[in-house]
Structure formats: C-alpha cells, structure tokens
Amino acid sequence: MKSVRARKVPKRSFDPELSKGSDRLNVGLVGSSGGHLAHLLVLEPWWSHHDRFWVTFDMPDSHDLLDSERVDWAHYPTTRNLPNLIRNFRLAWRLLRRERPDVLISTGAAVAFPFFLLGRMMGVKTVFIEVYDRIDQASLTARLCAPLASSFLVQWEDQLVFHPRAELIGRLL
C-alpha cells in the first residue's frame, strides 16, 4: 500500500470548522438507516447544540433512534433504483429550500448524493464521513460525494490511500 501522511483531528473536537461562535447552526444529517445512521448518532455531542433535521429511511431502527427528532423519510431502496433516485432529488430540493441548512453531514449511503449535489449548488457546506468498514476500497457514495464535499473525513489511516485529500478523524464507533 502507498504510504500516506495522516492529518489527525482529535475525535472530541469534531466540528467541521463551520461554527459561528456561539450561534446555532441549522444542520442536515443525511444517511441510510442502520450503520450509517449509527455513525451520525455518535456525533451527538456536537449536533445536539444545533438546530437539526434528519433524512433517513423509514425503518424500525430509525423510528426508535430518532423518535424525538425532526425526520423526513427518504425513498428506499436507493441502489440502482432510478425512480427512487429521482424521488430523493425532489425530496432534497424541497427540504433544502425549506430548511436552508448551514451544513449537511452524511456518512452515506446513496441517499447522500442528491443532497450533496443540490446542497453544493445552493452554497451549503457539506461534510462527508466515510464509514469505518470501508478500508479496502472507497464506497461508491464517497466517490460521488468527495468532489462535492467541503470537508471529507475518514476514520482509518488506510482510507487515505483512496481519499488522499481527506482528513483523518479516527474511529467514531
């Protein structure tokens, strides 16, 4: 493997350098249910201080974990499903215009792409965190979202081989 110099950011200081002093941000947290959602939930010490909305799939774990949060349900399945990709673009367009987020944060999967593409077109900061189990190759969503991300973060030094401009933040889970 190619040697890469790590730029490590302490885990406890997660802040995508978007804070406005003590002002609250409006944060969009976008991710599939399951492990992707779990990665976003770990960031609670940061996002709990901000206004936020969630976009995920209408699944039992999502209901259980986000029962007191503002959630919009994305269309599932997303992989190789063109009608749902179009539906998620419409959802992203509607939500981004309504919410006017300061930042979008995602750990994937495919539901992130419409939000990142439209978010960047609207001038929204975007932060993508590659999930920790992708150490042998980049995820498809990461490859699609990397050019659209204001900040691209990885959890393992080995992931820097596939994402050389990423910042290493260490494991979230």
Side-chain angles (χ1 to χ4, degrees), residues 40-86:
L40 291 172
L41 289 166
V42 169
L43 302 175
E44 182 180 11
W46 180 80
W47 57 251
S48 65
H49 301 290
H50 300 289
D51 298 322
R52 63 200 168 272
F53 65 96
W54 294 81
V55 178
T56 191
F57 300 136
D58 188 1
M59 301 292 218
D61 67 323
S62 304
H63 285 274
D64 294 342
L65 297 168
L66 300 173
D67 66 343
S68 62
E69 297 286 327
R70 287 189 304 139
V71 181
D72 286 278
W73 305 115
H75 300 277
Y76 176 84
T78 53
T79 307
R80 296 178 184 92
N81 188 309
L82 186 58
N84 282 345
L85 176 65
I86 293 167

Side-chain angles (χ1 to χ4, degrees), residues 55 73-78 81-95 111 114-115 118:
V55 178
W73 305 115
H75 300 277
Y76 176 84
T78 53
N81 188 309
L82 186 58
N84 282 345
L85 176 65
I86 293 167
R87 287 182 187 105
N88 285 330
F89 264 107
R90 279 189 290 215
L91 175 65
W93 177 254
R94 189 177 73 248
L95 284 177
V111 69
F115 283 86
L118 294 175

Side-chain angles (χ1 to χ4, degrees), residues 36-165:
H36 295 282
L37 180 58
H39 277 87
L40 291 172
L41 289 166
V42 169
L43 302 175
E44 182 180 11
W46 180 80
W47 57 251
S48 65
H49 301 290
H50 300 289
D51 298 322
R52 63 200 168 272
F53 65 96
W54 294 81
V55 178
T56 191
F57 300 136
D58 188 1
M59 301 292 218
D61 67 323
S62 304
H63 285 274
D64 294 342
L65 297 168
L66 300 173
D67 66 343
S68 62
E69 297 286 327
R70 287 189 304 139
V71 181
D72 286 278
W73 305 115
H75 300 277
Y76 176 84
T78 53
T79 307
R80 296 178 184 92
N81 188 309
L82 186 58
N84 282 345
L85 176 65
I86 293 167
R87 287 182 187 105
N88 285 330
F89 264 107
R90 279 189 290 215
L91 175 65
W93 177 254
R94 189 177 73 248
L95 284 177
L96 295 175
R97 288 179 50 230
R98 180 183 80 200
E99 295 289 342
R100 300 284 183 205
D102 297 300
V103 61
L104 291 169
I105 301 175
S106 184
T107 55
V111 69
F113 179 68
F115 283 86
F116 271 49
L117 182 61
L118 294 175
R120 286 299 288 186
M121 290 171 61
M122 299 169 104
V124 176
K125 301 286 185 188
T126 53
V127 178
F128 190 88
I129 305 169
E130 178 72 296
V131 291
Y132 74 88
D133 61 346
R134 287 307 196 128
I135 57 171
D136 56 348
Q137 66 181 6
S139 67
L140 175 59
T141 307
R143 292 191 309 258
L144 292 170
C145 289
L148 304 169
S150 306
S151 295
F152 192 92
L153 311 174
V154 295
Q155 299 181 54
W156 296 102
E157 190 169 348
D158 290 350
Q159 292 173 315
L160 290 169
V161 171
F162 310 109
H163 307 291
R165 292 189 285 153

Side-chain angles (χ1 to χ4, degrees), residues 19-47:
S19 291
K20 301 175 181 174
S22 63
D23 293 347
R24 292 174 66 95
L25 297 173
N26 188 19
V27 178
L29 297 146
V30 180
S32 301
S33 55
H36 295 282
L37 180 58
H39 277 87
L40 291 172
L41 289 166
V42 169
L43 302 175
E44 182 180 11
W46 180 80
W47 57 251

